[in-house]
Amino acid sequence: MKKDKKKFAGNFSIWLRSTRNALITEDDALVDCGDCNACCTSSYFIHIRPEETKTIAHINKKLLFPAPGLPMGNVLMGYDEQGCCPMLINQKCSIYPHRALTCRSYDCRIFTAAGIDPGDDDKARIKKRTDQWEFAYPTQQDRDEHFAVQAAAQFIKEHAACFPQGAIPHNPSQLAILSIKVYAVFLKDDNGSAEAEKVSADAEIAQAIIKANEAFEARRLAAKSKDPLIQRK
């Protein structure tokens, strides 16, 4: 069987910083998609926030419904019987300049980075692409940081019981993003030890992860409050 050709995902540390910054500033993810539209054909619900007025204006209101568990005004757009986004016409996004933030920030390399399977059979096309991505490691820092991201993802998956209910996501995308937010808990310092290695109890590591995520979210909210452009996207 012919193997799929590998696709350059970037130098890991550069990608990691760019991704973390995009999560904070809500900038578009810079992904070399080529002709791939796997994320548009993989049965994803698209979350659209109330401030995304331009996006909402370009979508038939019949395709939108209230997002469960979120404040009024947050909506979701579903997919058709084939798992395709209804905005995908002739294999291309028909509202690309006005697509939702969820779409603009999507980067399937998060699964490759975290070592997480993107989902079930309906995510097969995304898994194929994530298997093709290949990061480069020009320095030891690149390797150490990739190890830390994957260690974070593995710990969260294997020790879910150590976290308060609702503290960690079970959605593969959100789990991968969380591991990127809190990877520093597993990153070795100049003395060769990571914060996670300085405590013996899994519950303490879980608390360190929660604190790291809270700190990241505080940075994101601070950036959003200072930059009105973020609020208008």
Side-chain angles (χ1 to χ4, degrees), residues 89-110:
I89 299 177
N90 295 326
Q91 297 302 307
K92 292 184 178 181
C93 178
S94 61
I95 61 166
Y96 190 82
H98 308 290
R99 66 198 186 283
L101 174 62
T102 298
C103 304
R104 290 190 283 111
S105 62
Y106 187 85
D107 184 346
C108 64
R109 289 173 293 184
I110 61 173

Side-chain angles (χ1 to χ4, degrees), residues 62-230:
K62 294 181 180 180
L63 297 173
L64 305 175
F65 58 93
L70 293 177
M72 184 179 298
N74 286 273
V75 295
L76 295 179
M77 178 170 61
Y79 44 86
D80 64 18
E81 294 82 357
Q82 286 74 44
C84 295
C85 172
M87 297 296 100
L88 189 70
I89 299 177
N90 295 326
Q91 297 302 307
K92 292 184 178 181
C93 178
S94 61
I95 61 166
Y96 190 82
H98 308 290
R99 66 198 186 283
L101 174 62
T102 298
C103 304
R104 290 190 283 111
S105 62
Y106 187 85
D107 184 346
C108 64
R109 289 173 293 184
I110 61 173
F111 300 113
T112 309
I116 291 176
D117 194 306
D120 298 323
D121 291 344
D122 59 351
K123 304 296 187 294
R125 290 193 64 203
I126 293 178
K127 178 171 174 49
K128 181 178 180 180
R129 175 50 68 103
T130 59
D131 287 344
Q132 291 175 328
W133 287 122
E134 188 171 65
F135 286 104
Y137 309 94
T139 69
Q140 186 60 42
Q141 180 180 1
D142 292 271
R143 295 185 181 280
D144 290 345
E145 291 185 337
H146 197 176
F147 174 85
V149 170
Q150 294 193 333
Q154 183 176 358
F155 181 91
I156 295 167
K157 286 194 299 181
E158 294 180 354
H159 298 86
C162 294
F163 295 86
Q165 186 174 3
I168 59 171
H170 298 287
N171 175 289
S173 296
Q174 294 301 318
L175 181 57
I177 289 172
L178 178 59
S179 69
I180 289 167
K181 291 179 179 179
V182 305
Y183 82 101
V185 174
F186 296 85
L187 185 65
K188 295 183 182 297
D189 58 23
D190 293 338
N191 296 319
S193 61
E195 182 179 353
E197 298 173 339
K198 297 176 183 178
V199 294
S200 57
D202 290 339
E204 292 181 82
I205 298 175
Q207 283 301 312
I209 289 173
I210 291 172
K211 289 182 180 179
N213 186 48
E214 289 174 346
F216 189 95
E217 285 302 300
R219 288 178 59 197
R220 185 182 66 81
L221 292 173
K224 186 173 182 178
S225 65
K226 292 178 181 178
D227 188 352
L229 288 177
I230 294 176

Side-chain angles (χ1 to χ4, degrees), residues 8-78:
F8 180 58
N11 294 341
F12 188 81
S13 291
I14 293 175
W15 174 85
L16 179 62
R17 277 152 186 71
S18 175
T19 299
R20 283 169 58 86
N21 184 67
L23 289 171
I24 291 172
T25 62
E26 299 186 351
D27 287 337
D28 293 6
L30 301 177
V31 188
D32 181 14
C33 297
D35 59 358
C36 178
N37 60 6
C39 58
C40 308
T41 60
S42 295
S43 304
Y44 274 128
F45 286 100
I46 305 301
H47 172 216
I48 306 171
R49 302 185 304 191
E51 60 266 32
E52 296 183 78
T53 54
K54 290 183 179 180
T55 299
I56 294 172
H58 284 80
I59 299 174
N60 187 324
K61 301 302 183 291
K62 294 181 180 180
L63 297 173
L64 305 175
F65 58 93
L70 293 177
M72 184 179 298
N74 286 273
V75 295
L76 295 179
M77 178 170 61

